[in-house]
Amino acid sequence: TDHIPADWAAAANRMDEVWVPSAFNRETFQRSGVTKPLHVVPLGINPDYFNTGINSYRLGEMFTFLSVFEWGERKAPEILLKAFNEEFKSSDDAVLICKISNSDGDIDIAAQVRNFNLKPGGGRVVFSLNEIIPTYQLGSLYRSADCFVLPTRGEGWGMPMLEAMACGLPVIATNWGSHCDFMNEGNSYLLDVEKLIPAVAKCPYYKGFNWAEPSREHLRALLRRVYENRAEAREKGARAAADAHGRWTWDHSAQKVIARLKEIGS
């Protein structure tokens, strides 16, 4: 969201300094009243687990979109599913795989999806719910898709996007949040934000704050663009992989940690 809770800010101000993963976090912490020094120390990927040389296990030859997220309002699943369902037909050579996690027993995902009123003849969707894949095998899932998509309303980092990029996938994601540190027009497809809206969700930490409302119409256009311009999408994916491995690995993160500790020590 565009702020952090007041008790988080108060706790941060009891520190000597605060490390956050992105420039977006630094801005929201400052906006929320954190006055102690703020340093950006990004997260990263393990290049051994996420790279373009990993084996894939595709669902046939159809064009495959992939989304990986925890079910909830912040991930905007209704926008993703409605956009894909409206833009494609079941007869099209395209499928959306949603790898979803949900640990809240009070949430009935099937009922929520039914309430989206998706068209029976719309784009095909495959759900993988709470299926555990070890981190070191996730690269095979990414490599089995042609494009990663997540119309998130806000991210504290956006690890699935970076993992997908490291595996050479073009990524469609909202142009707002921490992932904008590593995503840009050259290596990704940035999804337009209609406006900031109140962050209404079950999670109590968002109350009183705002997050992004991604454009469903623009998402439809980007899905279609990737589907019909596959060479362009592959080029984006190649640039994404080069950027992820060139700037956003755990080694790069560790170098920033070491550099800051040396500054503190001196």
Side-chain angles (χ1 to χ4, degrees), residues 38-102:
L38 285 156
H39 296 270
V40 174
V41 180
L43 307 183
I45 54 97
N46 184 335
D48 292 335
Y49 294 166
F50 302 98
N51 62 69
T52 59
I54 295 172
N55 289 336
S56 64
Y57 300 91
R58 297 184 58 86
L59 286 176
E61 296 301 318
M62 69 184 70
F63 195 89
T64 303
F65 293 91
L66 170 68
S67 194
V68 177
F69 60 95
E70 182 176 6
W71 190 271
E73 299 89 348
R74 184 167 60 88
K75 303 297 183 172
E78 76 285 1
I79 291 179
L80 172 64
L81 294 176
K82 288 179 180 179
F84 187 82
N85 178 257
E86 293 165 356
E87 186 59 32
F88 294 99
K89 299 181 179 67
S90 58
S91 57
D92 287 334
D93 186 30
V95 65
L96 169 63
I97 298 175
C98 292
K99 185 186 183 305
I100 300 164
S101 59
N102 174 47

Side-chain angles (χ1 to χ4, degrees), residues 186-224:
N187 65 20
S188 309
Y189 293 93
L190 297 178
L191 174 60
D192 288 347
V193 173
E194 292 184 350
K195 59 184 177 179
L196 295 187
I197 62 171
V200 178
K202 190 176 182 181
C203 176
Y205 299 124
Y206 307 147
K207 187 176 181 180
F209 306 140
N210 298 304
W211 55 22
E213 181 69 356
S215 168
R216 192 162 111 202
E217 289 305 309
H218 190 225
L219 178 55
R220 288 184 60 176
L222 290 178
L223 292 168
R224 178 61 60 179

